[in-house]
Amino acid sequence: MQTLNTSASALARLPQEWRHWINENLARRCEPAVMAAVMVRDGHFDNRLAQAAIEEARRAWFPQLPPAPSPEPRVLPRIDTSSNRVLAGDRQVGIVLSLAAPRVVVVSDLLSDEECDELIAYSYDRLERSPVVADSDGKTQVHAHRTSRGAMLQRAESPLVARIEARLEALTGWPAERGEGLQVLRYEKGNEYRPHFDWFDPALPGPRKHLERGGQRVATIVMYLSDVGQGGGTSFPKAGLQVQPKKGSAVFFLNVSEFGEPDQLSLHAGEPVETGVKVVATKWMRERAYV
Ligand SMILES: O=C(O)CCC(=O)C(=O)O
Ligand SMILES: [Fe+2]
């Protein structure tokens, strides 16, 4: 990733072809936020730099266009990591690890063994090969990068599901309504979820469609419903961090920066399971109500 000093002229620091590209796209009335997303994805520029350069170009070349609203810090899901225990509604949860960037928190004792077993049994008959979102049209499709089987649950579809969602709401301060239903995933030997982002790329037509309903996926919590023999960790390659599944524990992470923009550091993977079976329940938290 190119991170350049944004205090001097951001525009002057860009390669000429990118200055041209900005000029052409401003002329086409392209949205600055989408332009910045393309620059991050294809030019590997820092988001701040891309935004500063686009705004500078607008002022210099297209003063008649309105300025892009300056990004403001967002209220995001958060877990209180000021002590080693936190009350999550009906249950005391342990804080095991807290990382600043990317923001990752590992918690223990989020679910009881009985709750884990009940959720596995409850969803077992509904498991189907897990899909990914296509870049072109946003439809879901199976892909070699994601080989687990999974079941998409509705919010509050059973008393157990509702209880877990209420606990997550208390833990993260994020209303259950601003989130998709739980997704139970089962990984058998060799199954994995290769490195990916949970955020939708606003620069791609398919994922962009998913932003219309509920906005960005701002945070994720992956709850481990089983232990696993070997392999199967949740890894964050850009942070050199790996979290090994432990029944009842969970890993929470933010997918966006404090300004709500896609965070490149949030890249993560479900490593291939070598022995045993890994079962998780993922909750994707959205910017707004997901209805
Ligand atoms: O299985 C894992 O450890 C990660 C799952 C994941 O990344 C997801 O469900 O988005
Ligand atoms: Fe993920």
Side-chain angles (χ1 to χ4, degrees):
M1 164 121 15
Q2 279 175 267
T3 19
L4 301 172
N5 178 5
T6 50
S7 61
S9 164
L11 194 56
R13 283 159 180 269
L14 297 185
Q16 197 180 19
E17 72 258 29
W18 278 103
R19 291 204 295 271
H20 280 249
W21 182 87
I22 291 176
N23 186 297
E24 275 167 24
N25 283 286
L26 283 174
R28 297 198 301 125
R29 303 291 186 264
C30 199
E31 225 180 280
V34 173
M35 290 170 62
V38 173
M39 290 177 69
V40 170
R41 190 195 62 201
D42 297 344
H44 304 285
F45 296 105
D46 177 81
N47 208 337
R48 313 263 94 208
L49 172 80
Q51 286 176 352
I54 295 165
E55 175 55 15
E56 219 180 293
R58 183 204 61 80
R59 258 188 276 123
W61 303 329
F62 301 91
Q64 74 281 12
L65 292 182
S70 50
E72 295 200 359
R74 303 285 181 89
V75 177
L76 294 169
R78 66 180 295 276
I79 296 179
D80 178 5
T81 54
S82 60
S83 92
N84 67 2
R85 295 205 79 74
V86 61
L87 186 63
D90 61 345
R91 201 170 161 89
Q92 280 273 342
V93 170
I95 302 294
V96 178
L97 175 144
S98 160
L99 187 69
R103 181 64 179 144
V104 178
V105 181
V106 178
V107 300
S108 62
D109 304 310
L110 180 59
L111 304 177
S112 70
D113 280 0
E114 295 71 33
E115 287 171 331
C116 292
D117 296 342
E118 195 182 324
L119 195 54
I120 291 176
Y122 178 79
S123 49
Y124 191 80
D125 292 340
R126 286 159 61 177
L127 297 177
E128 285 174 8
R129 179 70 188 270
S130 307
V132 299
V133 170
D135 287 349
S136 53
D137 60 8
K139 296 207 173 108
T140 54
Q141 58 184 26
V142 300
H143 197 287
H145 285 180
R146 192 181 192 199
T147 49
S148 57
R149 286 185 302 141
M152 295 285 296
L153 310 186
Q154 297 296 312
R155 273 197 319 251
E157 69 163 61
S158 80
L160 173 66
V161 169
R163 184 162 84 232
I164 294 172
E165 285 169 341
R167 199 175 294 158
L168 295 180
E169 178 169 324
L171 178 68
T172 61
W174 208 250
E177 194 196 41
R178 290 197 213 160
E180 299 172 46
L182 294 182
Q183 188 168 183
V184 178
L185 301 171
R186 183 181 178 92
Y187 299 80
E188 296 186 359
K189 187 177 161 59
N191 291 165
E192 64 178 325
Y193 195 172
R194 295 217 192 130
H196 64 279
F197 298 108
D198 286 349
W199 43 258
F200 295 114
D201 188 340
L204 292 173
R208 205 188 154 134
K209 279 191 194 155
H210 289 263
L211 291 170
E212 287 161 17
R213 184 178 172 204
Q216 193 51 279
R217 278 185 183 149
V218 289
T220 302
I221 189 160
V222 177
M223 295 173 278
Y224 301 112
L225 305 183
S226 72
D227 292 313
V228 61
Q230 282 166 305
T234 307
S235 64
F236 295 82
K238 294 194 178 177
L241 175 68
Q242 178 163 311
V243 180
Q244 210 49 32
K246 184 170 190 306
K247 189 171 180 174
S249 294
V251 57
F252 162 91
F253 49 96
L254 288 185
N255 298 307
V256 295
S257 73
E258 61 180 317
F259 299 107
E261 298 149 347
D263 184 1
Q264 302 289 328
L265 292 177
S266 69
L267 186 75
H268 61 280
E271 297 291 334
V273 168
E274 290 164 32
T275 60
V277 173
K278 169 188 173 190
V279 189
V280 304
T282 293
K283 170 98 174 163
W284 283 316
M285 298 177 195
R286 295 298 198 101
E287 212 174 340
R288 301 186 293 276
Y290 184 77
V291 284

